[in-house]
Amino acid sequence: MPDTVVIVGAGGKMGRRAAEKLGHQPSYKVRMCESNPERAQALAAEGFEVTPVESGLAEADYVIMAVPDAVIGPLAQLAPRMKKGGTLIMLDAAAAYVDELPSPGDLTFMITHPCHPPFFTEQATPEARRDYFGGIAVQDIIVSLAHGSEARFLAGIELCKAIFAPVRNVYRVTPEQFALLEPAMAEVVVATAATLMKDALDTAIEKGVPTEAAEAFIAGHAQIAMAIVFGAEPSPFSDAAKIAIQWGTQELLRPDWKRVFEPHVLRQAIRVMLQGDGKEN
């Protein structure tokens, strides 16, 4: 008999991705929960079964929280209404890291997140090479057991692989390590660095560099710089570039920037993130 999977927030971006992967698979009986009437109507029009959260939780073997970070904690408070022995799957570690989850009782709480298709990795088709999120391109995922049954966690991994398929590797981390990867590394550091690169491009254009020239220059230099730093390109930076990097590090970065990985600072960052309005998913 197929397991019942309830997707909470099924009409949002991540919810729809999960719905598209799982919604027509015979191995799962999928129910969609969506509070937005227009999104719920769109799901129903596509043939998905839309159900209220309360009734969905009562029969769910798995509940996927495809909702914004800011509402994972509040919605997780509904977990006691879940079917006995069920598994709650969160797509972010924030609520678990700052202890916003209810007592699990006999439930299993787990976390998963896609690594997204990596750069400098060959993909099989042009469509996969243009897929930066995953779902067409092969990617890895991370998983973590926050509370509960090891057996249920291992079964939940198979569901996670189906959500983010095609999946190459599954890496297990602790909830604490999960938070170091995201938000600390991936969002606080990497997304900030990417935003800084775009700001640099915009500044060069504002100062008179032709747009196409600036875009071509940063695209190529961003790729070769990452290739050198991450070991895909054996040639090193030039001596002048090494000096520029050292000077730029002093000018652009706080000397103590790695403090964002310290637990008390990371908790502070997560609490700020969780103050969002919860509208974007």
Side-chain angles (χ1 to χ4, degrees):
M1 184 175 180
D3 287 327
T4 297
V5 180
V6 171
I7 304 174
V8 180
K13 289 185 293 187
M14 193 57 243
R16 289 194 69 85
R17 288 179 183 273
E20 289 166 2
K21 288 291 186 179
L22 302 176
H24 302 292
Q25 289 198 22
S27 53
Y28 299 110
K29 178 183 177 182
V30 181
R31 299 286 183 86
M32 313 298 184
C33 296
E34 176 52 61
S35 60
N36 182 293
E38 293 181 358
R39 291 179 175 181
Q41 187 176 11
L43 288 169
E46 294 177 24
F48 295 119
E49 183 174 351
V50 182
T51 186
V53 172
E54 292 76 7
S55 58
L57 294 178
E59 60 181 286
D61 296 293
Y62 296 95
V63 174
I64 301 169
M65 302 290 283
V67 296
D69 298 352
V71 298
I72 289 177
L75 279 177
Q77 301 305 316
L78 298 173
R81 302 183 189 180
M82 286 175 58
K83 178 179 179 180
K84 183 177 180 180
T87 301
L88 180 72
I89 301 178
M90 295 163 284
L91 305 183
D92 186 276
Y97 192 74
V98 296
D99 302 318
E100 286 197 356
L101 300 179
S103 173
D106 61 4
L107 302 174
T108 295
F109 290 173
M110 64 181 292
I111 318 164
T112 187
H113 201 81
C115 294
H116 303 301
F119 48 69
F120 313 127
T121 298
E122 289 295 325
Q123 298 287 347
T125 65
E127 292 77 16
R129 288 191 286 275
R130 289 191 296 268
D131 176 21
Y132 304 113
F133 186 92
I136 300 174
V138 175
Q139 64 180 329
D140 302 325
I141 64 173
I142 57 173
V143 295
S144 182
L145 175 62
H147 300 283
S149 162
E150 179 74 15
R152 290 294 296 170
F153 171 65
L154 294 177
I157 290 176
E158 296 305 310
L159 175 59
C160 295
K161 288 166 64 176
I163 294 170
F164 297 115
V167 170
R168 180 179 57 180
N169 298 308
V170 179
Y171 298 110
R172 181 174 183 174
V173 298
T174 67
E176 293 76 19
Q177 291 168 340
F178 204 122
L180 291 176
L181 295 175
E182 183 167 295
M185 183 185 74
E187 294 176 339
V188 175
V189 178
V190 174
T192 299
T195 301
L196 179 62
M197 291 167 59
K198 179 59 166 59
D199 289 344
L201 169 65
D202 292 341
T203 300
I205 294 170
E206 288 169 5
K207 290 187 175 296
V209 178
T211 298
E212 291 184 355
E215 290 176 344
F217 207 75
I218 197 171
H221 279 75
Q223 177 166 258
I224 188 60
M226 288 190 292
I228 293 171
V229 168
F230 287 97
E233 168 57 53
S235 300
F237 289 112
S238 68
D239 291 341
K242 291 176 182 177
I243 294 171
I245 292 167
Q246 186 176 36
W247 187 86
T249 299
Q250 295 171 350
E251 291 294 311
L252 299 176
L253 300 180
R254 289 174 46 152
D256 62 343
W257 70 269
K258 290 184 181 179
R259 65 192 293 270
V260 300
F261 289 92
E262 296 301 323
H264 69 286
V265 178
L266 181 53
R267 284 179 179 274
Q268 180 184 8
I270 289 174
R271 292 198 182 281
V272 170
M273 292 169 61
L274 295 182
Q275 291 173 1
D277 60 17
K279 293 180 181 178
E280 179 62 31
N281 69 324

Short mmCIF file of all heavy atoms in Angstrom, two decimals, residues 181-242:
data_model
loop_
_atom_site.label_atom_id
_atom_site.label_comp_id
_atom_site.label_asym_id
_atom_site.label_seq_id
_atom_site.Cartn_x
_atom_site.Cartn_y
_atom_site.Cartn_z
N LEU A 181 26.08 24.75 6.93
CA LEU A 181 26.02 24.77 5.48
C LEU A 181 25.00 25.79 4.98
O LEU A 181 25.27 26.55 4.04
CB LEU A 181 25.65 23.38 4.96
CG LEU A 181 26.69 22.27 5.21
CD1 LEU A 181 26.15 20.92 4.76
CD2 LEU A 181 28.01 22.59 4.52
N GLU A 182 23.81 25.77 5.58
CA GLU A 182 22.79 26.76 5.26
C GLU A 182 21.98 27.05 6.53
O GLU A 182 21.45 26.10 7.12
CB GLU A 182 21.86 26.27 4.16
CG GLU A 182 20.83 27.33 3.78
CD GLU A 182 20.09 27.03 2.50
OE1 GLU A 182 20.75 27.00 1.44
OE2 GLU A 182 18.88 26.82 2.56
N PRO A 183 21.99 28.32 6.96
CA PRO A 183 22.29 29.51 6.17
C PRO A 183 23.74 30.02 6.20
O PRO A 183 24.07 30.86 5.37
CB PRO A 183 21.38 30.56 6.82
CG PRO A 183 21.34 30.17 8.25
CD PRO A 183 21.33 28.67 8.23
N ALA A 184 24.60 29.54 7.12
CA ALA A 184 25.90 30.21 7.32
C ALA A 184 26.73 30.27 6.04
O ALA A 184 27.09 31.35 5.57
CB ALA A 184 26.68 29.52 8.44
N MET A 185 27.05 29.11 5.47
CA MET A 185 27.93 29.10 4.30
C MET A 185 27.21 29.55 3.03
O MET A 185 27.66 30.46 2.34
CB MET A 185 28.51 27.69 4.10
CG MET A 185 29.50 27.60 2.94
SD MET A 185 30.07 25.91 2.63
CE MET A 185 28.61 25.19 1.85
N ALA A 186 26.06 28.92 2.74
CA ALA A 186 25.42 29.12 1.44
C ALA A 186 24.76 30.48 1.29
O ALA A 186 24.79 31.06 0.19
CB ALA A 186 24.38 28.02 1.21
N GLU A 187 24.15 30.99 2.36
CA GLU A 187 23.40 32.24 2.24
C GLU A 187 24.17 33.43 2.80
O GLU A 187 24.36 34.45 2.12
CB GLU A 187 22.05 32.10 2.93
CG GLU A 187 21.16 31.09 2.23
CD GLU A 187 19.83 30.85 2.92
OE1 GLU A 187 19.72 31.13 4.14
OE2 GLU A 187 18.90 30.37 2.26
N VAL A 188 24.63 33.31 4.05
CA VAL A 188 25.32 34.45 4.67
C VAL A 188 26.60 34.78 3.92
O VAL A 188 26.92 35.96 3.71
CB VAL A 188 25.61 34.15 6.16
CG1 VAL A 188 26.43 35.28 6.78
CG2 VAL A 188 24.30 33.98 6.94
N VAL A 189 27.35 33.74 3.49
CA VAL A 189 28.63 34.00 2.83
C VAL A 189 28.52 33.95 1.30
O VAL A 189 28.80 34.94 0.61
CB VAL A 189 29.71 33.00 3.32
CG1 VAL A 189 31.02 33.24 2.58
CG2 VAL A 189 29.91 33.13 4.83
N VAL A 190 28.10 32.82 0.74
CA VAL A 190 28.15 32.64 -0.71
C VAL A 190 27.17 33.57 -1.43
O VAL A 190 27.53 34.23 -2.42
CB VAL A 190 27.88 31.17 -1.08
CG1 VAL A 190 27.77 31.01 -2.60
CG2 VAL A 190 28.99 30.28 -0.53
N ALA A 191 25.93 33.64 -0.97
CA ALA A 191 24.96 34.52 -1.62
C ALA A 191 25.36 35.98 -1.48
O ALA A 191 25.16 36.78 -2.40
CB ALA A 191 23.56 34.29 -1.05
N THR A 192 25.97 36.33 -0.34
CA THR A 192 26.47 37.69 -0.16
C THR A 192 27.59 37.98 -1.14
O THR A 192 27.64 39.05 -1.76
CB THR A 192 26.96 37.89 1.28
OG1 THR A 192 25.87 37.68 2.18
CG2 THR A 192 27.51 39.29 1.49
N ALA A 193 28.51 37.03 -1.32
CA ALA A 193 29.62 37.21 -2.26
C ALA A 193 29.10 37.36 -3.69
O ALA A 193 29.59 38.20 -4.46
CB ALA A 193 30.59 36.05 -2.16
N ALA A 194 28.08 36.55 -4.05
CA ALA A 194 27.52 36.67 -5.40
C ALA A 194 26.85 38.03 -5.61
O ALA A 194 26.97 38.63 -6.68
CB ALA A 194 26.51 35.54 -5.63
N THR A 195 26.18 38.50 -4.57
CA THR A 195 25.54 39.82 -4.65
C THR A 195 26.59 40.92 -4.78
O THR A 195 26.41 41.89 -5.53
CB THR A 195 24.68 40.06 -3.41
OG1 THR A 195 23.68 39.03 -3.32
CG2 THR A 195 23.98 41.41 -3.48
N LEU A 196 27.70 40.75 -4.08
CA LEU A 196 28.79 41.71 -4.18
C LEU A 196 29.36 41.74 -5.61
O LEU A 196 29.68 42.81 -6.15
CB LEU A 196 29.90 41.36 -3.18
CG LEU A 196 31.13 42.26 -3.15
CD1 LEU A 196 30.75 43.68 -2.75
CD2 LEU A 196 32.17 41.69 -2.19
N MET A 197 29.47 40.58 -6.23
CA MET A 197 29.94 40.52 -7.62
C MET A 197 29.01 41.28 -8.55
O MET A 197 29.45 42.03 -9.43
CB MET A 197 30.07 39.06 -8.05
CG MET A 197 31.20 38.30 -7.37
SD MET A 197 31.08 36.51 -7.61
CE MET A 197 31.15 36.40 -9.39
N LYS A 198 27.70 41.10 -8.37
CA LYS A 198 26.74 41.82 -9.21
C LYS A 198 26.82 43.32 -8.94
O LYS A 198 26.75 44.13 -9.88
CB LYS A 198 25.33 41.31 -8.91
CG LYS A 198 24.22 42.02 -9.72
CD LYS A 198 24.41 41.88 -11.21
CE LYS A 198 23.16 42.25 -12.00
NZ LYS A 198 22.70 43.62 -11.79
N ASP A 199 27.01 43.71 -7.70
CA ASP A 199 27.16 45.13 -7.38
C ASP A 199 28.41 45.71 -8.05
O ASP A 199 28.40 46.86 -8.52
CB ASP A 199 27.25 45.33 -5.86
CG ASP A 199 25.91 45.09 -5.16
OD1 ASP A 199 24.88 45.07 -5.84
OD2 ASP A 199 25.92 44.92 -3.92
N ALA A 200 29.48 44.92 -8.09
CA ALA A 200 30.70 45.37 -8.76
C ALA A 200 30.46 45.57 -10.25
O ALA A 200 30.93 46.55 -10.86
CB ALA A 200 31.82 44.36 -8.54
N LEU A 201 29.73 44.65 -10.87
CA LEU A 201 29.38 44.79 -12.28
C LEU A 201 28.58 46.07 -12.51
O LEU A 201 28.88 46.86 -13.42
CB LEU A 201 28.58 43.57 -12.74
CG LEU A 201 27.92 43.66 -14.12
CD1 LEU A 201 28.96 43.74 -15.22
CD2 LEU A 201 26.98 42.47 -14.34
N ASP A 202 27.56 46.28 -11.69
CA ASP A 202 26.72 47.47 -11.85
C ASP A 202 27.52 48.76 -11.68
O ASP A 202 27.30 49.75 -12.38
CB ASP A 202 25.57 47.44 -10.84
CG ASP A 202 24.56 46.32 -11.13
OD1 ASP A 202 24.55 45.83 -12.27
OD2 ASP A 202 23.81 45.96 -10.21
N THR A 203 28.48 48.74 -10.75
CA THR A 203 29.29 49.93 -10.51
C THR A 203 30.19 50.23 -11.70
O THR A 203 30.35 51.40 -12.09
CB THR A 203 30.15 49.73 -9.25
OG1 THR A 203 29.29 49.51 -8.13
CG2 THR A 203 31.00 50.96 -8.96
N ALA A 204 30.78 49.20 -12.29
CA ALA A 204 31.62 49.41 -13.47
C ALA A 204 30.80 50.01 -14.61
O ALA A 204 31.27 50.91 -15.32
CB ALA A 204 32.25 48.09 -13.91
N ILE A 205 29.56 49.52 -14.77
CA ILE A 205 28.69 50.05 -15.83
C ILE A 205 28.30 51.50 -15.53
O ILE A 205 28.31 52.36 -16.42
CB ILE A 205 27.44 49.16 -15.98
CG1 ILE A 205 27.84 47.78 -16.49
CG2 ILE A 205 26.42 49.80 -16.92
CD1 ILE A 205 26.73 46.75 -16.46
N GLU A 206 27.99 51.78 -14.27
CA GLU A 206 27.64 53.15 -13.88
C GLU A 206 28.78 54.12 -14.14
O GLU A 206 28.56 55.30 -14.43
CB GLU A 206 27.26 53.18 -12.40
CG GLU A 206 25.92 52.52 -12.09
CD GLU A 206 25.71 52.35 -10.61
OE1 GLU A 206 26.56 52.82 -9.82
OE2 GLU A 206 24.68 51.74 -10.21
N LYS A 207 30.02 53.62 -14.07
CA LYS A 207 31.18 54.48 -14.27
C LYS A 207 31.60 54.56 -15.73
O LYS A 207 32.66 55.09 -16.05
CB LYS A 207 32.34 54.00 -13.39
CG LYS A 207 32.08 54.26 -11.90
CD LYS A 207 33.29 53.94 -11.07
CE LYS A 207 33.05 54.33 -9.61
NZ LYS A 207 32.86 55.79 -9.45
N GLY A 208 30.78 54.01 -16.63
CA GLY A 208 30.99 54.23 -18.05
C GLY A 208 31.44 53.04 -18.87
O GLY A 208 31.55 53.15 -20.10
N VAL A 209 31.73 51.89 -18.26
CA VAL A 209 32.12 50.72 -19.04
C VAL A 209 30.90 50.23 -19.82
O VAL A 209 29.81 50.10 -19.25
CB VAL A 209 32.65 49.60 -18.13
CG1 VAL A 209 32.99 48.36 -18.96
CG2 VAL A 209 33.86 50.06 -17.34
N PRO A 210 31.03 49.97 -21.14
CA PRO A 210 29.88 49.45 -21.90
C PRO A 210 29.33 48.17 -21.26
O PRO A 210 30.08 47.30 -20.84
CB PRO A 210 30.48 49.15 -23.28
CG PRO A 210 31.65 50.09 -23.38
CD PRO A 210 32.21 50.18 -21.99
N THR A 211 28.01 48.08 -21.20
CA THR A 211 27.36 46.97 -20.49
C THR A 211 27.80 45.61 -21.00
O THR A 211 28.14 44.71 -20.20
CB THR A 211 25.83 47.10 -20.61
OG1 THR A 211 25.41 48.33 -20.00
CG2 THR A 211 25.13 45.94 -19.92
N GLU A 212 27.81 45.43 -22.32
CA GLU A 212 28.16 44.11 -22.86
C GLU A 212 29.60 43.74 -22.55
O GLU A 212 29.91 42.58 -22.25
CB GLU A 212 27.91 44.08 -24.36
CG GLU A 212 26.43 44.14 -24.72
CD GLU A 212 26.19 44.02 -26.21
OE1 GLU A 212 27.19 43.97 -26.97
OE2 GLU A 212 25.02 43.96 -26.62
N ALA A 213 30.47 44.73 -22.58
CA ALA A 213 31.87 44.47 -22.26
C ALA A 213 32.03 44.08 -20.80
O ALA A 213 32.75 43.13 -20.46
CB ALA A 213 32.72 45.70 -22.57
N ALA A 214 31.34 44.79 -19.92
CA ALA A 214 31.43 44.50 -18.49
C ALA A 214 30.86 43.13 -18.18
O ALA A 214 31.43 42.37 -17.39
CB ALA A 214 30.71 45.58 -17.69
N GLU A 215 29.73 42.80 -18.79
CA GLU A 215 29.10 41.50 -18.53
C GLU A 215 29.97 40.36 -19.02
O GLU A 215 30.11 39.32 -18.35
CB GLU A 215 27.72 41.45 -19.18
CG GLU A 215 26.70 42.36 -18.50
CD GLU A 215 25.36 42.38 -19.21
OE1 GLU A 215 25.29 41.93 -20.39
OE2 GLU A 215 24.38 42.83 -18.59
N ALA A 216 30.55 40.51 -20.20
CA ALA A 216 31.43 39.47 -20.73
C ALA A 216 32.67 39.29 -19.85
O ALA A 216 33.10 38.16 -19.58
CB ALA A 216 31.85 39.81 -22.16
N PHE A 217 33.19 40.40 -19.37
CA PHE A 217 34.42 40.35 -18.59
C PHE A 217 34.19 39.68 -17.23
O PHE A 217 34.98 38.83 -16.81
CB PHE A 217 34.97 41.77 -18.40
CG PHE A 217 36.46 41.81 -18.19
CD1 PHE A 217 37.34 41.62 -19.25
CD2 PHE A 217 37.00 42.04 -16.92
CE1 PHE A 217 38.72 41.64 -19.06
CE2 PHE A 217 38.37 42.08 -16.73
CZ PHE A 217 39.23 41.88 -17.80
N ILE A 218 33.10 40.04 -16.57
CA ILE A 218 32.88 39.45 -15.24
C ILE A 218 32.47 37.99 -15.36
O ILE A 218 32.84 37.16 -14.51
CB ILE A 218 31.83 40.25 -14.43
CG1 ILE A 218 31.94 39.85 -12.94
CG2 ILE A 218 30.41 40.01 -14.95
CD1 ILE A 218 31.12 40.72 -12.02
N ALA A 219 31.74 37.63 -16.42
CA ALA A 219 31.31 36.24 -16.57
C ALA A 219 32.51 35.31 -16.72
O ALA A 219 32.61 34.26 -16.07
CB ALA A 219 30.38 36.10 -17.78
N GLY A 220 33.46 35.71 -17.57
CA GLY A 220 34.64 34.89 -17.75
C GLY A 220 35.57 34.89 -16.55
O GLY A 220 36.11 33.85 -16.16
N HIS A 221 35.76 36.06 -15.95
CA HIS A 221 36.66 36.14 -14.81
C HIS A 221 36.09 35.49 -13.55
O HIS A 221 36.85 34.94 -12.73
CB HIS A 221 37.04 37.60 -14.54
CG HIS A 221 38.14 38.08 -15.44
ND1 HIS A 221 37.92 38.38 -16.77
CD2 HIS A 221 39.47 38.27 -15.22
CE1 HIS A 221 39.07 38.74 -17.33
NE2 HIS A 221 40.02 38.68 -16.41
N ALA A 222 34.77 35.52 -13.41
CA ALA A 222 34.17 34.81 -12.27
C ALA A 222 34.39 33.31 -12.42
O ALA A 222 34.72 32.60 -11.45
CB ALA A 222 32.67 35.13 -12.19
N GLN A 223 34.24 32.81 -13.65
CA GLN A 223 34.42 31.37 -13.87
C GLN A 223 35.86 30.94 -13.65
O GLN A 223 36.12 29.95 -12.96
CB GLN A 223 33.96 30.99 -15.27
CG GLN A 223 34.19 29.51 -15.58
CD GLN A 223 33.45 29.06 -16.80
OE1 GLN A 223 32.41 28.41 -16.72
NE2 GLN A 223 33.99 29.38 -17.97
N ILE A 224 36.83 31.67 -14.21
CA ILE A 224 38.22 31.25 -14.06
C ILE A 224 38.69 31.41 -12.62
O ILE A 224 39.45 30.57 -12.11
CB ILE A 224 39.15 32.01 -15.04
CG1 ILE A 224 40.57 31.42 -15.01
CG2 ILE A 224 39.19 33.49 -14.73
CD1 ILE A 224 40.67 29.97 -15.40
N ALA A 225 38.20 32.44 -11.92
CA ALA A 225 38.59 32.62 -10.52
C ALA A 225 38.08 31.46 -9.67
O ALA A 225 38.82 30.90 -8.84
CB ALA A 225 38.05 33.95 -9.98
N MET A 226 36.82 31.06 -9.88
CA MET A 226 36.28 29.93 -9.12
C MET A 226 36.98 28.63 -9.51
O MET A 226 37.23 27.77 -8.65
CB MET A 226 34.78 29.82 -9.33
CG MET A 226 34.00 30.92 -8.64
SD MET A 226 32.20 30.66 -8.62
CE MET A 226 31.83 30.84 -10.37
N ALA A 227 37.31 28.48 -10.79
CA ALA A 227 38.00 27.27 -11.23
C ALA A 227 39.37 27.14 -10.56
O ALA A 227 39.77 26.05 -10.12
CB ALA A 227 38.16 27.28 -12.75
N ILE A 228 40.07 28.26 -10.42
CA ILE A 228 41.38 28.24 -9.76
C ILE A 228 41.22 27.95 -8.27
O ILE A 228 41.90 27.07 -7.70
CB ILE A 228 42.12 29.56 -9.98
CG1 ILE A 228 42.51 29.71 -11.46
CG2 ILE A 228 43.37 29.65 -9.11
CD1 ILE A 228 43.05 31.09 -11.81
N VAL A 229 40.31 28.66 -7.63
CA VAL A 229 40.13 28.53 -6.18
C VAL A 229 39.68 27.13 -5.80
O VAL A 229 40.15 26.55 -4.80
CB VAL A 229 39.14 29.59 -5.66
CG1 VAL A 229 38.73 29.28 -4.22
CG2 VAL A 229 39.75 30.98 -5.75
N PHE A 230 38.77 26.55 -6.59
CA PHE A 230 38.21 25.23 -6.25
C PHE A 230 38.97 24.07 -6.90
O PHE A 230 38.56 22.92 -6.78
CB PHE A 230 36.73 25.17 -6.62
CG PHE A 230 35.86 25.97 -5.70
CD1 PHE A 230 35.46 27.24 -6.04
CD2 PHE A 230 35.46 25.46 -4.48
CE1 PHE A 230 34.66 28.00 -5.20
CE2 PHE A 230 34.67 26.19 -3.62
CZ PHE A 230 34.27 27.48 -3.97
N GLY A 231 40.08 24.35 -7.59
CA GLY A 231 40.94 23.29 -8.07
C GLY A 231 40.58 22.69 -9.41
O GLY A 231 41.19 21.70 -9.82
N ALA A 232 39.60 23.25 -10.12
CA ALA A 232 39.26 22.74 -11.44
C ALA A 232 40.26 23.18 -12.50
O ALA A 232 40.41 22.53 -13.53
CB ALA A 232 37.86 23.20 -11.84
N GLU A 233 40.96 24.28 -12.24
CA GLU A 233 41.98 24.81 -13.13
C GLU A 233 43.33 24.74 -12.41
O GLU A 233 43.50 25.32 -11.34
CB GLU A 233 41.65 26.26 -13.51
CG GLU A 233 42.77 27.02 -14.20
CD GLU A 233 43.27 26.33 -15.45
OE1 GLU A 233 42.44 26.02 -16.33
OE2 GLU A 233 44.50 26.12 -15.54
N PRO A 234 44.31 24.01 -12.99
CA PRO A 234 45.60 23.85 -12.30
C PRO A 234 46.47 25.11 -12.28
O PRO A 234 47.32 25.26 -11.41
CB PRO A 234 46.28 22.72 -13.07
CG PRO A 234 45.66 22.77 -14.44
CD PRO A 234 44.24 23.20 -14.21
N SER A 235 46.27 26.01 -13.23
CA SER A 235 47.09 27.22 -13.26
C SER A 235 46.73 28.12 -12.07
O SER A 235 45.55 28.30 -11.76
CB SER A 235 46.86 27.98 -14.57
OG SER A 235 47.22 27.18 -15.67
N PRO A 236 47.73 28.71 -11.42
CA PRO A 236 47.46 29.58 -10.27
C PRO A 236 47.11 31.00 -10.71
O PRO A 236 47.20 31.34 -11.90
CB PRO A 236 48.79 29.56 -9.52
CG PRO A 236 49.81 29.44 -10.62
CD PRO A 236 49.17 28.54 -11.66
N PHE A 237 46.70 31.81 -9.75
CA PHE A 237 46.56 33.24 -10.01
C PHE A 237 47.94 33.83 -10.29
O PHE A 237 48.96 33.34 -9.79
CB PHE A 237 45.96 33.95 -8.80
CG PHE A 237 44.51 33.67 -8.56
CD1 PHE A 237 44.09 32.94 -7.46
CD2 PHE A 237 43.54 34.16 -9.43
CE1 PHE A 237 42.75 32.69 -7.23
CE2 PHE A 237 42.19 33.92 -9.22
CZ PHE A 237 41.79 33.18 -8.11
N SER A 238 47.98 34.89 -11.08
CA SER A 238 49.23 35.59 -11.31
C SER A 238 49.70 36.25 -10.01
O SER A 238 48.92 36.43 -9.07
CB SER A 238 49.05 36.66 -12.39
OG SER A 238 48.21 37.70 -11.90
N ASP A 239 50.98 36.61 -9.97
CA ASP A 239 51.50 37.26 -8.77
C ASP A 239 50.76 38.57 -8.49
O ASP A 239 50.46 38.88 -7.33
CB ASP A 239 53.00 37.54 -8.93
CG ASP A 239 53.83 36.26 -8.93
OD1 ASP A 239 53.30 35.23 -8.44
OD2 ASP A 239 54.98 36.29 -9.40
N ALA A 240 50.45 39.32 -9.55
CA ALA A 240 49.71 40.57 -9.36
C ALA A 240 48.31 40.31 -8.83
O ALA A 240 47.81 41.05 -7.96
CB ALA A 240 49.64 41.34 -10.68
N ALA A 241 47.67 39.25 -9.34
CA ALA A 241 46.32 38.91 -8.87
C ALA A 241 46.35 38.51 -7.40
O ALA A 241 45.44 38.84 -6.63
CB ALA A 241 45.73 37.79 -9.72
N LYS A 242 47.39 37.77 -7.00
CA LYS A 242 47.50 37.38 -5.59
C LYS A 242 47.60 38.60 -4.69
O LYS A 242 47.00 38.66 -3.61
CB LYS A 242 48.71 36.47 -5.39
CG LYS A 242 48.57 35.09 -6.03
CD LYS A 242 49.85 34.28 -5.87
CE LYS A 242 49.74 32.93 -6.55
NZ LYS A 242 51.02 32.16 -6.45
#
